[in-house]
Amino acid sequence: THDPSGVEDVPLITRTNKANAWKADVFISLHANANAGKMGSHGGIDTFVFGKTGESFKLATIVQANLIKATGLRNRGVVVQNFHVLRETKMPAILIEHGFMDSITDLPYLKSDNYRKLCGVTNARSVAQFYGLKRKAVAPAPKPVAKPVVTPVKGAETYKVVAGDTLWGVSQKFDITVEKIKSLNGLKSDVLSIGQSLIVKEKLIVV
């Protein structure tokens, strides 16, 4: 519903009128939060709805849980607010705040292309989960092979996981993608354990 040129700040009533006229199935408003414009230690993700019942609340609950799991940011929960875009839409509607622009912890995430892509993909998967959508059938996957043992060699750099670490956070610290970390360490999930040693450089041998 935004002006793709970025010139016009489209009024809220125009946005909801467009969505209602299109008979859209769902309305999702994407935002970055702010707290009086003063940098501080506040931060986190929250998802807003007009009321704590119905399809909107169900969607908000799914989105909030998935974003917190994917990003590792603070969980501010599902919050009821009387926002125009939530009140005047005729379909399930939510508004997501993906972190604070004036937070010393959140701002580096919001400025990252990887983080914004992660939020977009997570939101899309959440909508698919809400509607019970499944991926189309694809060719059968190859038969599983024995999991390789990844062994660092002299000169390889490793990192020991501490409390609060996420794969995304480690990837930003060492300028490496999440996918590469998972590949180097034979990881099948995004879950990390405190004290876990991760290879964060490509120099390694596989035996």
Side-chain angles (χ1 to χ4, degrees):
T1 61
H2 283 285
D3 174 9
S5 71
V7 174
E8 180 188 5
D9 184 9
V10 179
L12 298 178
I13 190 171
T14 302
R15 303 180 197 181
T16 52
N17 284 349
K18 281 185 176 181
N20 292 334
W22 291 337
K23 299 187 186 303
D25 294 308
V26 63
F27 187 100
I28 301 177
S29 190
L30 309 176
H31 289 259
N33 215 335
N35 182 30
K38 294 183 179 180
M39 296 300 294
S41 59
H42 52 275
I45 294 173
D46 36 19
T47 304
F48 292 90
V49 290
F50 185 57
K52 280 198 171 183
T53 59
E55 297 298 284
S56 296
F57 187 75
K58 292 178 184 178
L59 175 60
T61 302
I62 292 172
V63 168
Q64 180 71 15
N66 288 343
L67 279 173
I68 297 304
K69 181 178 179 181
T71 67
L73 264 63
R74 278 174 275 184
N75 186 0
R76 293 171 57 85
V78 175
V79 183
V80 174
Q81 280 286 2
N82 186 25
F83 293 154
H84 178 93
V85 294
L86 304 178
R87 182 184 67 247
E88 300 302 326
T89 39
K90 306 302 182 185
M91 68 289 297
I94 64 173
L95 186 151
I96 312 167
E97 298 283 7
H98 296 85
F100 282 75
M101 295 180 287
D102 51 9
S103 163
I104 58 176
T105 57
D106 293 2
L107 183 58
Y109 286 80
L110 291 169
K111 292 170 67 175
S112 163
D113 288 339
N114 286 342
Y115 177 75
R116 294 194 295 270
K117 180 178 180 181
L118 174 65
C119 289
V121 170
T122 302
N123 291 339
R125 289 177 175 171
S126 296
V127 172
Q129 179 182 338
F130 173 71
Y131 283 107
L133 303 178
K134 303 295 182 182
R135 288 181 177 272
K136 290 184 178 180
V138 296
K143 293 182 179 180
V145 296
K147 182 178 179 181
V149 178
V150 182
T151 306
V153 297
K154 185 177 181 181
E157 185 172 345
T158 60
Y159 173 74
K160 185 166 290 188
V161 175
V162 298
D165 272 341
T166 63
L167 272 179
W168 186 89
V170 174
S171 75
Q172 295 301 293
K173 184 178 296 185
F174 293 97
D175 193 24
I176 184 174
T177 66
V178 169
E179 290 75 15
K180 178 59 81 172
I181 293 178
K182 293 176 74 172
S183 175
L184 290 177
N185 295 274
L187 300 178
K188 299 301 183 183
S189 75
D190 294 343
V191 178
L192 298 178
S193 302
I194 296 175
Q196 179 179 0
S197 183
L198 295 175
I199 298 169
V200 292
K201 280 192 175 180
E202 289 192 61
K203 189 177 180 183
L204 63 134
I205 57 174
V206 179
V207 297

